[in-house]
Amino acid sequence: MKVAAIFSYLFNNPTKRIVVILLALVISACSSTPAENSASVSDPKDPLESINRPFWTFTWDYADKYVLKPTAQAYVEYMPTDFRSGIHNVALNLNEPSTVINNLLQGKFSEAGKSTGRFILNSTIGIFGFFDPASDFEWIRAQEEFGEVLGSYGVGDGPYLVIPALGPSSVREEVGDYVDKYYWPLAIIDFWPNLLRQAVLGLEQRAALVDQEQIINESIDSYEFVKNAYFQNMEFKVYDGNPPIVIDEDSEDEINAFLEELDNMADVDQ
């Protein structure tokens, strides 16, 4: 119950999450000298690894194993499929207004129009979003977060973070989530309805993780695997599925040198 309480408290109090992040940054800065930091930090995106790893162990090996996963499994098993789908649609429908604004901030006017149409149609004919008639018009849901807006303007992810009981994140995503919660109608939803909404979204996200769970468990280093997957997913979202191809010039030079050596060997053999 304590884990669940912490989960709900942090998830529904963005200010407290920001405080936790800042405290982690301060603790990390005070826990070692600059020389020690430069020697121990192998990944510039993860300067808080010494804190993040224990948080990840707690999250994956304890909070998820004994609370989040069993709860999600029970939810999927006992909740009627149609009703479960409906309340999930309602929870997602409340994100549409923020998606509209975030699309406009990126100059995605066509996507903003589709999201507006989705919200109006689903909130009326779809009974507050319980049904999704907008999909019949091929207005597919594509949530845009303020963190993606920041990324589209060149703001980096910032340090990688593992929020206890919640999982991987980053400074940019936390700032984006903080802003998103102040868009209408999320800003006017009372505590308990918002708690229910967050619970539904969290349970559905955990249920969707079942297919990737075995891959995580079988990875050599689950922490590194999830971290790399997180940054790849963030880049995928910022570039709407078309991230730029980054060429490692050093690796390319080594490959070219190796190919030239093979060509020279072939010429000698002839």
Side-chain angles (χ1 to χ4, degrees), residues 188-208:
I188 63 173
I189 298 177
D190 292 336
F191 175 80
W192 291 111
N194 191 50
L195 178 63
L196 176 61
R197 169 183 166 272
Q198 296 285 8
V200 168
L201 293 175
L203 290 171
E204 289 292 345
Q205 289 173 357
R206 183 57 186 89

Side-chain angles (χ1 to χ4, degrees), residues 3 42 45 63 72 80 106 121 142-143 167 169 177 179 184 186 209 219 234 239 242 254 262:
V3 173
S42 58
K45 290 185 176 181
Q106 297 176 78
L121 188 60
Q143 183 176 345
S169 186
D177 289 347
V179 173
W184 182 88
L186 300 181
L209 188 61
S219 61
M234 288 298 101
Y239 290 98
N242 296 296
E254 291 179 3
L262 289 179

Side-chain angles (χ1 to χ4, degrees), residues 94-95 97-99 101-102 105 144-146 149 176 178-189:
L94 294 171
N95 291 330
S98 65
T99 294
I101 298 174
N102 290 332
L105 291 174
E144 289 284 328
E145 302 171 346
F146 189 73
V149 176
Y178 185 84
V179 173
D180 284 335
K181 286 179 173 63
Y182 284 94
Y183 287 133
W184 182 88
L186 300 181
I188 63 173
I189 298 177

Side-chain angles (χ1 to χ4, degrees), residues 10-51:
L10 290 176
F11 216 44
N12 291 278
N13 290 273
T15 303
K16 303 301 185 296
R17 290 178 64 177
I18 296 296
V19 171
V20 170
I21 294 166
L22 292 176
L23 285 175
L25 290 169
V26 171
I27 292 172
S28 176
C30 296
S31 62
S32 58
T33 64
E36 290 173 336
N37 281 333
S38 61
S40 61
V41 175
S42 58
D43 185 351
K45 290 185 176 181
D46 191 10
L48 302 175
E49 183 174 352
S50 61
I51 296 175

Side-chain angles (χ1 to χ4, degrees), residues 145 147 157 168-178 230 234:
E145 302 171 346
D157 293 287
S169 186
S170 66
V171 170
R172 189 184 71 196
E173 183 179 5
E174 289 300 311
V175 171
D177 289 347
Y178 185 84
Y230 170 81
M234 288 298 101

Side-chain angles (χ1 to χ4, degrees), residues 256-270:
N256 290 335
F258 178 71
L259 293 175
E260 290 178 3
E261 185 176 349
L262 289 179
D263 291 338
N264 293 334
M265 291 174 62
D267 292 339
V268 171
D269 292 338
Q270 292 177 356

